[in-house]
């Protein structure tokens, strides 16, 4: 795992070996469930999408890419998924998976290099893992390849506005105090690129949606403490960018705290931390799938929408 994508550079922004160590360390913490509120919430959404968003189908074999401790599996039923394979880069996470009523098999592998044959799975899910891969287009192609025709991919990943308040405050403070800045928050994909990447990978009938989860804190130091002590470290979400900066000067932190409160502070004195989530659904083509109508075949134009009641009444007659 992580052996083929460990080189630094513009095309490999993340140190995958470091990310594996971070996730392995996080999985061994005494009470990891206390740190998993974000993954639990998003995983529940992914499970609900698989349960009710796919026409109540039954999937004989499913794959969870970047499963961690099994945040999606616990929300699936045997009526929806008969057998599940969980894949993660960190073996310790797979050793500490939560209970599920579905028979599961755990496989240690890199999300970018799935060790499965083409046309293997009826369903592929992924929750809050793909934002750490170096080659997202390749990861999407790998997922598309292992899906059977008419199989579906349901995924969730952090979006580009995640922790924008923290990122902006730290950058402005570093520019002011140190004359430049380094990334302290991982880079994320823009939603405008996501549909294009999925389409290029071969998916059709795409659905892409965004949501935000906002958590309020007393101030920037509490944000940093919670992120480092709960969200980041316990969840294995520490920044693993090659060009990350290891330390922040105290003066810079104090300036960032003042900027954070001035720019984003709530009326009650707290400050928000925003997590943007991208949800995506894509299908692998099959002849049985419904196809869009041929261009120019419409009998009603958008200009007639204002007359919709009259058109419906006329159609009934």
């Amino acid at each position: 795992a992580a052996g083929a994508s460990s080189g630094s550079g513009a095309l490999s922004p993340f140190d995958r070996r470091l990310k594996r160590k971070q996730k392995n360390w996080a999985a061994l913490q005494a009470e990891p469930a206390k740190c998993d509120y974000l993954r639990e919430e998003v995983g529940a959404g992914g499970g609900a999408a698989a349960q009710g968003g796919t026409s109540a189908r039954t999937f004989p074999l499913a794959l969870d890419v970047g499963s961690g401790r099994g945040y999606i599996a616990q929300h699936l039923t045997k009526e929806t998924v008969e057998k599940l394979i969980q894949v993660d880069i960190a073996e310790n996470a797979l050793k500490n998976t939560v209970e599920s009523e579905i028979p599961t098999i755990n496989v240690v592998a890199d999300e970018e290099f799935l060790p499965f044959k083409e046309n293997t799975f009826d369903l592929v899910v992924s929750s809050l893992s793909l934002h750490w891969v170096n080659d997202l287009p390749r990861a999407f192609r790998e997922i598309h390849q292992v899906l059977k025709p008419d199989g579906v991919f349901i995924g969730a990943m952090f979006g580009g506005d995640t922790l924008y308040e923290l990122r902006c405050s730290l950058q402005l403070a570093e520019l002011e105090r140190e004359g430049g800045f380094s990334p302290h928050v991982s880079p994320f994909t823009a939603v405008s690129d996501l549909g294009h990447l999925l389409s290029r990978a071969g998916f059709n009938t795409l659905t892409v949606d965004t949501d935000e989860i906002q958590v309020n804190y007393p101030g920037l130091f509490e944000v940093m403490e919670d992120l480092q002590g709960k969200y980041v470290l316990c969840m294995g979400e520490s920044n693993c960018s090659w060009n990350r900066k290891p330390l922040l000067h105290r003066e810079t932190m104090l300036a960032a705290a003042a900027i954070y409160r001035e720019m984003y502070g709530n009326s009650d004195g707290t400050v928000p931390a925003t997590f943007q989530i991208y949800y995506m659904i894509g299908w692998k083509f099959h002849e049985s799938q419904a196809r869009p109508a041929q261009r120019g075949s419409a009998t009603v134009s958008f200009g007639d929408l204002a007359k919709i009641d009259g058109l419906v009444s006329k159609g009934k007659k």
Side-chain angles (χ1 to χ4, degrees), residues 111-124:
E111 295 94 330
E112 293 184 66
F113 305 93
L114 298 177
F116 304 106
K117 294 182 180 180
E118 188 175 356
N119 302 328
T120 298
F121 298 97
D122 306 278
L123 166 70
V124 176

Side-chain angles (χ1 to χ4, degrees), residues 66-130:
S67 63
R69 297 175 55 248
Y71 305 99
I72 293 181
Q74 60 184 317
H75 299 288
L76 298 174
T77 66
K78 291 185 290 187
E79 288 72 30
T80 302
V81 174
E82 295 178 357
K83 188 175 183 179
L84 177 68
I85 295 181
Q86 298 183 133
V87 168
D88 200 272
I89 199 174
E91 60 272 21
N92 289 342
L94 295 174
K95 292 176 183 177
N96 293 281
T97 53
V98 296
E99 291 186 6
S100 171
E101 66 177 62
I102 303 171
T104 60
I105 296 175
N106 296 331
V107 177
V108 179
D110 194 312
E111 295 94 330
E112 293 184 66
F113 305 93
L114 298 177
F116 304 106
K117 294 182 180 180
E118 188 175 356
N119 302 328
T120 298
F121 298 97
D122 306 278
L123 166 70
V124 176
V125 295
S126 180
S127 180
L128 301 186
S129 172
L130 294 175

Side-chain angles (χ1 to χ4, degrees), residues 8-267:
S8 61
L11 298 180
S12 298
F14 303 121
D15 184 344
R16 293 289 290 173
R17 287 194 176 94
L18 176 59
K19 175 50 56 186
R20 183 184 185 186
K21 291 180 181 178
Q22 291 170 347
K23 294 186 71 174
N24 272 323
W25 184 90
L28 294 178
Q29 299 313 295
E31 297 180 279
K34 289 186 176 180
C35 313
D36 289 344
Y37 53 89
L38 272 175
R39 290 193 180 279
E40 291 286 357
E41 183 168 343
V42 177
Q51 296 281 111
T54 53
S55 303
R57 288 176 55 176
T58 298
F59 301 97
L61 184 61
L63 172 68
D64 187 351
V65 177
S67 63
R69 297 175 55 248
Y71 305 99
I72 293 181
Q74 60 184 317
H75 299 288
L76 298 174
T77 66
K78 291 185 290 187
E79 288 72 30
T80 302
V81 174
E82 295 178 357
K83 188 175 183 179
L84 177 68
I85 295 181
Q86 298 183 133
V87 168
D88 200 272
I89 199 174
E91 60 272 21
N92 289 342
L94 295 174
K95 292 176 183 177
N96 293 281
T97 53
V98 296
E99 291 186 6
S100 171
E101 66 177 62
I102 303 171
T104 60
I105 296 175
N106 296 331
V107 177
V108 179
D110 194 312
E111 295 94 330
E112 293 184 66
F113 305 93
L114 298 177
F116 304 106
K117 294 182 180 180
E118 188 175 356
N119 302 328
T120 298
F121 298 97
D122 306 278
L123 166 70
V124 176
V125 295
S126 180
S127 180
L128 301 186
S129 172
L130 294 175
H131 58 284
W132 284 125
V133 302
N134 278 314
D135 192 343
L136 188 58
R138 179 193 176 96
F140 284 152
R141 291 195 300 269
E142 290 272 316
I143 291 171
H144 183 270
Q145 181 173 313
V146 301
L147 271 174
K148 293 179 180 178
D150 201 32
V152 60
F153 166 56
I154 301 175
M157 60 187 294
F158 285 120
D161 286 340
T162 295
L163 297 175
Y164 71 89
E165 305 99 338
L166 179 62
R167 182 189 298 116
C168 184
S169 299
L170 289 172
Q171 289 179 355
L172 290 175
E174 279 191 294
L175 282 171
E176 176 190 341
R177 298 302 173 96
E178 302 178 32
F181 65 86
S182 298
H184 298 284
V185 179
S186 167
F188 298 105
T189 303
V191 68
S192 57
D193 297 329
L194 195 55
H196 180 60
L197 291 175
L198 288 166
S199 180
R200 285 185 58 187
F203 291 101
N204 58 30
T205 319
L206 297 174
T207 301
V208 177
D209 198 7
T210 65
D211 192 14
E212 287 187 353
I213 300 173
Q214 192 173 89
V215 184
N216 293 321
Y217 296 90
L220 177 138
F221 288 100
E222 287 79 11
V223 174
M224 297 289 287
E225 181 181 2
D226 195 47
L227 292 177
Q228 292 175 356
K230 292 175 67 176
Y231 170 71
V232 173
L233 294 183
C234 289
M235 293 177 62
E237 287 292 330
S238 301
N239 189 359
C240 67
S241 302
W242 286 103
N243 60 346
R244 64 192 179 277
K245 187 175 180 179
L247 296 173
L248 276 168
H249 297 296
R250 178 166 179 78
E251 287 189 1
T252 302
M253 289 290 292
L254 291 172
I259 293 171
Y260 203 134
R261 189 175 301 279
E262 178 66 25
M263 292 183 63
Y264 305 108
N266 298 317
S267 58

Side-chain angles (χ1 to χ4, degrees), residues 293-305 311 314:
Q294 187 176 359
R295 185 179 179 86
S297 63
T299 58
V300 179
S301 71
F302 280 106
D304 294 324
L305 289 178
L311 291 171
K314 187 183 297 183

